[in-house]
Amino acid sequence: GMSEIDLKRAFAAAVRPPRGWQGDLHFFNAEHKRVRYTFTPAAAAACRGTIVLTPGYGEQAELYFETIKRFHAMGYAVWTMDWQGHGCSERDDPQNPQQVDAKGFGRHVDDIDIFVRDLVRPH
């Protein structure tokens, strides 16, 4: 026969952050906007490497718990960054948080550069 799936238990496991996850971290970008990032240290004594995830348009790190947990289990340190204007990062207009960013991708290139150069790489 078919085995039953406990959906409530499966969902609870899926939305639980990985062990060691630090989710309320931030830096300020060149425009002095708060950019949110997360860090999950490697589980293994010997870190196999570092993964940098950048959730997409309108997304945030929490939507990638399963991906982070998979990399974590493989021995990787995992960093994520919510793009400025998305996820838990600061909006251009806090009174209108759904407003689409129209300032171009240059600001995002600058943000990922700061993130990797100043936070991820030194760690």
Side-chain angles (χ1 to χ4, degrees), residues 97-108:
Q98 302 304 320
Q99 178 70 35
V100 177
D101 168 27
K103 293 186 179 180
F105 285 101
R107 71 189 319 186
H108 299 309

Side-chain angles (χ1 to χ4, degrees), residues 59-99:
E59 295 183 333
Q60 64 191 49
E62 285 79 357
L63 296 174
Y64 290 83
F65 278 164
E66 289 303 301
T67 302
I68 295 168
K69 285 188 262 189
R70 173 82 47 102
F71 285 131
H72 182 252
M74 293 168 64
Y76 291 96
V78 185
W79 297 76
T80 67
M81 184 187 83
D82 291 354
W83 297 107
Q84 197 249 303
H86 301 277
C88 294
S89 289
E90 188 174 350
R91 305 295 195 263
D92 285 324
D93 181 1
Q95 300 305 315
N96 190 8
Q98 302 304 320
Q99 178 70 35

Side-chain angles (χ1 to χ4, degrees), residues 26-78:
H26 72 274
F27 66 92
F28 288 93
N29 66 12
E31 298 176 22
H32 306 288
K33 298 287 187 186
R34 183 180 159 120
V35 177
R36 187 271 192 120
Y37 70 94
T38 75
F39 173 59
T40 306
C47 179
R48 293 180 64 186
T50 300
I51 305 289
V52 175
L53 296 175
T54 55
Y57 182 84
E59 295 183 333
Q60 64 191 49
E62 285 79 357
L63 296 174
Y64 290 83
F65 278 164
E66 289 303 301
T67 302
I68 295 168
K69 285 188 262 189
R70 173 82 47 102
F71 285 131
H72 182 252
M74 293 168 64
Y76 291 96
V78 185

